[in-house]
């Protein structure tokens, strides 16, 4: 279901982008970097967090870490990572395949400036062995993401 929701999203909004399905897992940043022949920082990891009652997706460079101080300054509270079951329920994507495409529940999407070090990034595509190659700015445009600086 999740991979299909990503394919449907891309077919409608970016039919030129193809989902790449690999035999090996790309469920972690390091595995994804190996599978797609890029450096770990070029993997666009998607994190589902909650601050207060607000749930959101943060897309950041693969080696970036959320900075609690920056996050609190931007969103007014400390981020709380959601558990795997809640992430699956809200996004339709399993942990390791979470991406900002074809999500089940509309929510704000933010791209961290750590992604801007690359012209092209590789986010997951709804499964632990699926990804896409996409221009960094196009990723933000397609998902209506807002740029933020919340990582170190």
């Amino acid at each position: 279901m999740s991979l299909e929701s990503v394919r449907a999203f891309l077919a409608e909004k970016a039919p030129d982008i193809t989902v790449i399905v690999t035999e090996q897992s790309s469920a972690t940043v390091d595995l994804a970097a190996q599978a797609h022949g890029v450096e770990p920082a070029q993997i666009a990891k998607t994190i589902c967090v909650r601050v207060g009652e607000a749930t959101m997706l943060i897309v950041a460079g693969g080696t970036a870490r959320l900075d609690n101080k920056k996050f609190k300054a931007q969103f007014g509270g400390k981020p709380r990572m959601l558990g795997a079951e809640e992430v699956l329920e809200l996004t339709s994507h399993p942990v390791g395949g979470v991406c900002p495409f074809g999500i089940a529940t509309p929510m704000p999407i933010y791209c961290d400036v750590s992604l801007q070090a690359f012209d092209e990034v590789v986010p997951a595509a709804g499964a632990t062995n699926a990804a896409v190659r996409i221009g960094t700015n196009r990723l933000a445009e397609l998902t209506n993401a807002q740029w933020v600086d919340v990582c170190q």
Side-chain angles (χ1 to χ4, degrees), residues 31-125:
L31 289 173
Q34 289 172 9
H36 298 286
V38 297
E39 59 184 279
Q42 197 171 352
I43 299 300
K45 66 182 175 186
T46 304
I47 308 162
C48 192
V49 298
R50 183 169 288 136
V51 59
E53 296 298 312
T55 303
M56 64 190 72
L57 295 179
I58 306 289
V59 186
T63 56
R65 301 279 177 253
L66 282 178
D67 181 307
N68 285 335
K69 196 175 207 177
K70 286 181 177 181
F71 191 95
K72 188 173 182 180
Q74 178 75 42
F75 296 108
K78 185 177 176 184
R80 184 174 66 82
M81 304 284 277
L82 301 186
E85 286 186 25
E86 194 170 10
V87 170
L88 180 62
E89 180 182 320
L90 289 170
T91 66
S92 80
H93 308 322
V95 170
V98 179
C99 65
F101 314 116
I103 57 175
T105 306
M107 67 183 80
I109 299 169
Y110 299 93
C111 285
D112 183 73
V113 295
S114 58
L115 295 171
Q116 293 177 337
F118 302 97
D119 291 332
E120 181 182 74
V121 291
V122 183

Side-chain angles (χ1 to χ4, degrees), residues 140-151:
E141 290 166 10
L142 276 178
T143 59
N144 295 315
Q146 185 177 350
W147 287 102
V148 293
D149 182 3
V150 294
C151 291

